[in-house]
Amino acid sequence: MSFQAVVFYVLSAILIVAAFRVVTAKNPVHAALYLVLAFFTASGHWLLLQAEFLAIALVLVYVGAVMVLFLFVVMMLDINIEKLREGFWKNFPLAGTVALVMVAEMVLILSSPEANLAGFKAAAPVTAEISNVRELGLQLYTTYLLPFEAAAVVLLVAMVAAIGITMRNKRADTKYINPAEQVRVRSKDRVRIVKVEVVKPAPDAASDTNEQQA
């Protein structure tokens, strides 16, 4: 077994453990940190495939920006962990079944002779004139244009749905703010000036006695 095959299996084992802990961790901050570990190991897989741009983009975009946003939201919001975990064991049989089916599919794919993981045949070396970014752009916008556009539409729908769920005012624990009312706000609606008369303090009795004795 080659050194690249050993690195691949080690990274894959770490990625599986990290992904499992993302789902099973009780603390959301720990789950987010395990997701960071999963992203780092996935970038290692991209490096093995000689896709340096994708590896760097995965670390910079997801670990450097998205996960920071996740941690900020998790730590700033008052999340009821017990309430979130109420349906975990209820949905665990279905989730476990889907996970086993996916594992069986991956085993069948990776154990096929076409995968050639036993020797981990590396990709053909590329010359210095070929750019990974250019080749990635050509593949995305020519061969895989339809899946790329479909993924973009799915992400857009997910973003709109997340905003709609967050902005709904039917929940009792959600504070809804109307942006139009914030724009129309005036200073006299928020600030009230109260004139207070100046009251001089009464002279101290002890000071009056000292003055009379003097």
Side-chain angles (χ1 to χ4, degrees):
M1 184 180 293
S2 63
F3 176 74
Q4 290 182 347
V6 174
V7 174
F8 171 77
Y9 287 117
V10 171
L11 291 178
S12 300
I14 297 174
L15 180 58
I16 293 173
V17 173
F20 181 76
R21 288 298 298 158
V22 169
V23 181
T24 58
K26 295 182 179 180
N27 194 329
V29 178
H30 294 169
L33 293 177
Y34 277 114
L35 189 57
V36 171
L37 178 60
F39 287 149
F40 271 110
T41 52
S43 65
H45 285 135
W46 286 118
L47 288 176
L48 291 177
L49 294 175
Q50 298 182 4
E52 295 85 3
F53 173 76
L54 290 178
I56 296 175
L58 182 62
V59 174
L60 292 180
V61 175
Y62 284 93
V63 179
V66 177
M67 290 312 305
V68 173
L69 179 62
F70 283 177
L71 288 175
F72 178 78
V73 172
V74 168
M75 296 179 69
M76 291 298 294
L77 296 180
D78 188 11
I79 300 176
N80 190 355
I81 306 300
E82 297 298 331
K83 185 177 180 180
L84 291 177
R85 294 183 61 86
E86 287 178 356
F88 179 81
W89 294 109
K90 182 177 65 176
N91 300 321
F92 182 78
L94 178 60
T97 303
V98 174
L100 290 177
V101 171
M102 294 178 64
V103 170
E105 291 178 353
M106 294 301 297
V107 169
L108 292 176
I109 293 173
L110 296 178
S111 61
S112 62
E114 288 80 6
N116 193 18
L117 287 181
F120 197 82
K121 184 179 179 180
V126 295
T127 59
E129 291 78 10
I130 299 178
S131 174
N132 288 334
V133 181
R134 182 176 181 274
E135 292 296 326
L136 178 63
L138 290 176
Q139 293 295 327
L140 283 179
Y141 294 104
T142 56
T143 306
Y144 302 101
L145 178 61
L146 183 59
F148 180 75
E149 295 293 336
V153 172
V154 171
L155 291 176
L156 178 61
V157 173
M159 182 179 66
V160 174
I163 295 174
I165 293 174
T166 305
M167 298 300 294
R168 62 181 180 180
N169 53 3
K170 295 181 180 180
R171 296 172 52 185
D173 56 345
T174 301
K175 295 182 179 180
Y176 178 76
I177 299 176
N178 191 354
E181 294 180 358
Q182 288 186 323
V183 173
R184 293 195 301 266
V185 71
R186 294 175 297 180
S187 60
K188 64 179 182 179
D189 298 333
R190 297 295 179 90
V191 179
R192 185 179 63 177
I193 300 176
V194 179
K195 295 183 179 180
V196 180
E197 296 181 358
V198 179
V199 179
K200 295 182 178 180
D204 193 4
S207 60
D208 294 342
T209 305
N210 295 331
E211 290 178 358
Q212 292 177 0
Q213 290 178 357

